[in-house]
Amino acid sequence: MDVCVIGTGYVGLVTGTCLAYLGRSVICVDIDERKIEMLSQGRSPIYEPGLQGLIASGLQRGHLRFSNSLTEGVRQSEIIFIAVGTPPQPTGRADLSAVEAVAQGIGRALDSDRRRVIVNKSTVPIGSGNWVEMLVKDGLGENPTLRREAAGTAQVEGHSVVTGVRSLTDIRPEELFAVASNPEFLREGSAVHDTLYPDRIVIGAADARAVERLRALYEPIIEQTFTPPASAPRPAASTAVPVVTTDLTSAEMIKYAANAFLATKISFANEIANICERVGADIKEVVRGFGLDNRIGPRFLNAGVGWGGSCFGKDVAALIDIAREYSYEPSLLRSIVDVNARQRQVVVQKLQETLKIIKGRTIGLLGLAFKPDTDDLRDAPALEIATQLTAMGARVKVYDPVAMPACRAQHPELKFEYAADPIALAAECDALVVVTEWEEFRQLDFERVGAVMNTRVLIDGRNMLDREAVEAGGFKYRGIGR
Ligand code: NAD
């Protein structure tokens, strides 16, 4: 089955690479020439566990190719995924300019060789499926191949030959393509695993043939019949993957509802943590107690510096915008955003409470990425905390095992010092703040870390460390909600 994935970011690249691993013939397209050049040489432009090896093997086996040409990708494929970015605008509304350009481009590039399924994998506002269909049709009007067919000619070996007269209006768009929605739920940091072993696959379409083709595409995942790659072993209890087939609008809404709910769980835990701290309870104990209720579940209830990343903030803001467009004021959604914004201030307040004066202090941040196992810095709490501390007159040092090169390249305006390792970070610091839950921070020797610091203060912004081990290193330890 021939597949084109347009957009080689965290979603498109992982999707394309995993489908190639399953034996599909995949061409990944991007407008970013540097990315395509790197990828064609087998180098991943992003950090994602297990991805690099799968790209290399996909290229080697000839199942995976990369191109800057949308036309090449569209012509060679039956299933065409749109996986470009949909970043937030200042109003919260999703910026759909990349989706628009791609949809029109697909319309201009289609030919009548086979029927295509055009799949929205980008997270897009409700109604975007219909809008994409309209844009593809617009593109068809400017499609040189179809125009030639309509004029009764075709290009054969560089010559125009008569193929029989057919009017452009004879070409029925529904014979050429159908649009489907197939929202993505992967988590950065475990994107390959989540693609191969998803909790569910959602397919939204009005066209039964499109649903059938997507089911066939995902069959090895649905039935779990593939041999797992060494880098992503199959979880012990995995069974057939549920497929939710529904209408386009509901599929689009499922994605927003899922992210809004996950963001709600974290904001809820943070709200409870802030109350715990005031009344003398420990949020970790409290979550353990109420999370064991099957109706609630313990996952996604970690109190800390709040959620970040490219999805939660953007998707909740877009959902608020959609609700308002339909004259509904989503007060719960607004609150989860407000709680999260306030939560990012909590570590700064704890530093003020502990050190009193921030001006002239040296603060070390453990972690930059918005979560562990990724180099993604979009809406990363660390960047906001660092910017705020710098503005307050502190000297900020940072260490992250993976995200420092990305941070240097993407944020030359940020004036902090990069440290080569946690000990270099701690040197001359008045306090350390854990911002990202990297596993290696759990293994730190706090006696050694503390020995090079000015004062032994540690703010655990993720509640991830063993308090006793930190305190045994002579530290004053402050967690969140404890
Ligand atoms: P990204 O920014 O990492 O990648 C987008 C890619 O699209 C870039 O490589 C960019 O160069 C390319 N692009 C932009 N315009 C293009 C065009 N006209 N033609 C070809 N390529 C073009 O984005 P991402 O994180 O992969 O997210 C993609 C979509 O998936 C978004 O809508 C996002 O909300 C959604 N999503 C993301 C995640 C995640 O964890 N990152 C999870 C689920 C869903």
Side-chain angles (χ1 to χ4, degrees):
M1 199 177 259
D2 301 328
V3 179
C4 170
V5 182
I6 305 164
T8 60
Y10 289 85
V11 167
L13 182 56
V14 174
T15 302
T17 305
C18 288
L19 288 172
Y21 175 78
L22 299 175
R24 308 313 187 207
S25 172
V26 180
I27 177 163
C28 290
V29 173
D30 205 290
I31 40 168
D32 186 330
E33 290 181 7
R34 185 192 61 93
K35 267 192 186 177
I36 293 301
E37 200 181 309
M38 276 182 83
L39 285 163
S40 302
Q41 294 164 2
R43 292 185 295 133
S44 174
I46 55 168
Y47 176 80
E48 192 56 53
L51 182 62
Q52 174 77 54
L54 292 184
I55 293 172
S57 74
L59 284 169
Q60 207 175 21
R61 289 160 65 216
H63 289 172
L64 185 61
R65 282 173 307 131
F66 297 97
S67 171
N68 286 122
S69 166
L70 182 66
T71 304
E72 186 190 355
V74 168
R75 290 283 167 86
Q76 296 179 14
S77 307
E78 177 193 355
I79 297 186
I80 302 164
F81 283 101
I82 302 177
V84 295
T86 48
Q89 301 184 84
T91 56
R93 186 162 293 186
D95 177 351
L96 296 178
S97 52
V99 175
E100 183 175 9
V102 168
Q104 285 170 337
I106 293 171
R108 283 194 294 269
L110 283 175
D111 57 29
S112 55
D113 277 3
R114 52 184 154 173
R115 188 172 193 259
R116 268 64 175 217
V117 183
I118 300 170
V119 191
N120 252 339
K121 199 171 243 320
S122 297
T123 304
V124 285
I126 313 304
S128 296
N130 302 36
W131 180 67
V132 162
E133 185 176 331
M134 182 191 85
L135 293 168
V136 176
K137 283 181 186 163
D138 287 351
L140 290 178
E142 299 163 21
N143 183 310
T145 308
L146 296 177
R147 274 178 183 278
R148 269 200 299 275
E149 281 184 23
T153 61
Q155 291 290 311
V156 176
E157 291 172 4
H159 303 287
S160 198
V161 296
V162 175
T163 58
V165 180
R166 198 175 171 213
S167 152
L168 191 56
T169 50
D170 286 347
I171 298 170
R172 307 222 327 260
E174 61 272 24
E175 285 173 8
L176 294 180
F177 75 94
V179 172
S181 165
N182 173 221
E184 181 53 62
F185 302 98
L186 63 75
R187 297 162 299 173
E188 287 178 22
S190 53
V192 170
H193 175 279
D194 293 351
T195 302
L196 294 174
Y197 314 109
D199 290 342
R200 77 302 208 184
I201 291 173
V202 174
I203 301 172
D207 183 283
R209 278 188 290 165
V211 175
E212 182 275 313
R213 295 315 289 150
L214 279 170
R215 263 184 180 276
L217 174 74
Y218 285 126
E219 175 84 1
I221 295 180
I222 296 169
E223 301 301 336
Q224 288 291 304
T225 47
F226 63 90
T227 306
S231 58
R234 178 172 286 125
S238 67
T239 49
V241 173
V243 180
V244 178
T245 51
T246 182
D247 57 279
L248 266 174
T249 309
S250 301
E252 290 165 350
M253 194 62 174
I254 286 169
K255 174 63 193 174
Y256 281 117
N259 272 358
F261 188 72
L262 292 171
T264 304
K265 280 190 99 173
I266 299 177
S267 281
F268 178 81
N270 282 329
E271 184 105 300
I272 298 295
N274 294 336
I275 302 171
C276 280
E277 208 164 293
R278 283 160 177 81
V279 301
D282 182 336
I283 184 68
K284 284 211 142 187
E285 296 299 306
V286 172
V287 163
R288 197 156 63 93
F290 78 76
L292 281 170
D293 185 324
N294 277 334
R295 293 168 302 174
I296 298 173
R299 294 175 69 194
F300 254 73
L301 286 172
N302 293 335
V305 296
W307 38 264
S310 67
C311 291
F312 285 180
K314 159 176 97 67
D315 293 349
V316 176
L319 188 52
I320 291 173
D321 181 69
I322 292 161
R324 286 184 177 153
E325 206 177 296
Y326 286 81
S327 308
Y328 179 80
E329 189 53 37
S331 44
L332 177 62
L333 297 179
R334 269 196 294 111
S335 299
I336 62 175
V337 174
D338 292 347
V339 168
N340 197 59
R342 194 177 55 197
Q343 203 62 22
R344 293 203 178 169
Q345 307 301 317
V346 166
V347 290
V348 176
Q349 283 159 11
K350 284 180 188 291
L351 285 170
Q352 284 178 318
E353 283 162 19
T354 316
L355 300 174
K356 307 297 179 199
I357 305 295
I358 298 294
K359 225 181 264 309
R361 302 282 195 178
T362 301
I363 313 289
L365 301 187
L366 283 159
L368 278 172
F370 86 94
K371 63 186 279 192
D373 294 321
T374 182
D375 58 354
D376 197 341
L377 293 156
R378 289 177 284 186
D379 197 22
L383 301 185
E384 193 174 324
I385 293 165
T387 305
Q388 197 174 344
L389 290 171
T390 309
M392 291 168 81
R395 173 179 160 225
V396 177
K397 296 170 75 177
V398 297
Y399 167 73
D400 187 289
V402 167
M404 292 198 292
C407 196
R408 276 200 183 93
Q410 293 164 23
H411 294 286
E413 79 286 359
L414 292 177
K415 302 282 173 261
F416 40 58
E417 287 172 37
Y418 292 91
D421 56 57
I423 299 293
L425 175 82
E428 291 165 26
C429 275
D430 296 292
L432 291 179
V433 182
V434 177
V435 192
T436 313
E437 221 171 335
W438 284 101
E439 196 52 37
E440 71 169 66
F441 299 157
R442 273 186 234 279
Q443 320 303 333
L444 288 174
D445 175 346
F446 288 100
E447 182 51 55
R448 262 189 78 205
V449 171
V452 296
M453 293 178 67
N454 282 343
T455 46
R456 298 186 190 204
V457 170
L458 189 139
I459 312 290
D460 185 356
R462 295 290 179 185
N463 281 349
M464 68 173 288
L465 299 176
D466 175 355
R467 177 183 200 135
E468 284 174 14
V470 179
E471 287 177 344
F475 275 85
K476 189 177 176 95
Y477 172 95
R478 303 278 316 263
I480 307 280
R482 314 178 72 184

